Amino acid sequence: MDIEEVFSSKTRIKILKLLAQQGNRNPSDIARCVKINFSAADKHLRLLESEGILKLYTYGKRFRLYSFNEASEKAKAVQNLIHVWYKDDS
């Protein structure tokens, strides 16, 4: 997938910003914070995971957490971009 496709969604940008600024989150919390329904959030999260930007951690059968994939250069670049872009926001 091209970078344009990953960043073409305002919702994906909101998800990435949320995770960069607040850390690990479960899909339901992400959906609530970015004000979208669960299935839409799940679709965006799976796309970001398939690109290697996010990593899914599963605990037990039902508890899931998403975070940036610390092993991915793409994830590190996205995190750096968000931190630089919003560094002066309080």
Side-chain angles (χ1 to χ4, degrees):
M1 178 174 283
D2 291 329
I3 189 171
E4 295 89 358
E5 293 176 76
V6 172
F7 290 112
S8 66
S9 168
K10 191 181 248 187
T11 301
R12 281 195 287 276
I13 300 291
K14 288 179 181 180
I15 290 170
L16 292 168
K17 181 182 172 187
L18 174 72
L19 292 173
Q21 293 177 339
Q22 298 183 13
N24 302 345
R25 291 282 184 257
N26 68 55
S28 296
D29 188 41
I30 292 168
R32 182 182 51 77
C33 289
V34 298
K35 297 179 172 109
I36 59 174
N37 66 47
F38 178 84
S39 62
D42 194 53
K43 181 179 175 183
H44 289 295
L45 291 165
R46 288 178 191 268
L47 182 142
L48 292 167
E49 180 187 7
S50 73
E51 284 300 308
I53 298 169
L54 298 184
K55 185 164 180 149
L56 172 65
Y57 296 92
T58 305
Y59 302 94
K61 293 183 181 182
R62 297 186 52 128
F63 190 71
R64 302 181 312 155
L65 284 178
Y66 278 95
S67 66
F68 274 93
N69 181 356
E70 297 300 325
S72 166
E73 291 298 317
K74 287 181 187 179
K76 290 175 188 173
V78 171
Q79 279 183 298
N80 287 335
L81 173 66
I82 291 168
H83 288 301
V84 168
W85 195 273
Y86 293 104
K87 73 178 179 181
D88 294 328
D89 290 355
S90 298

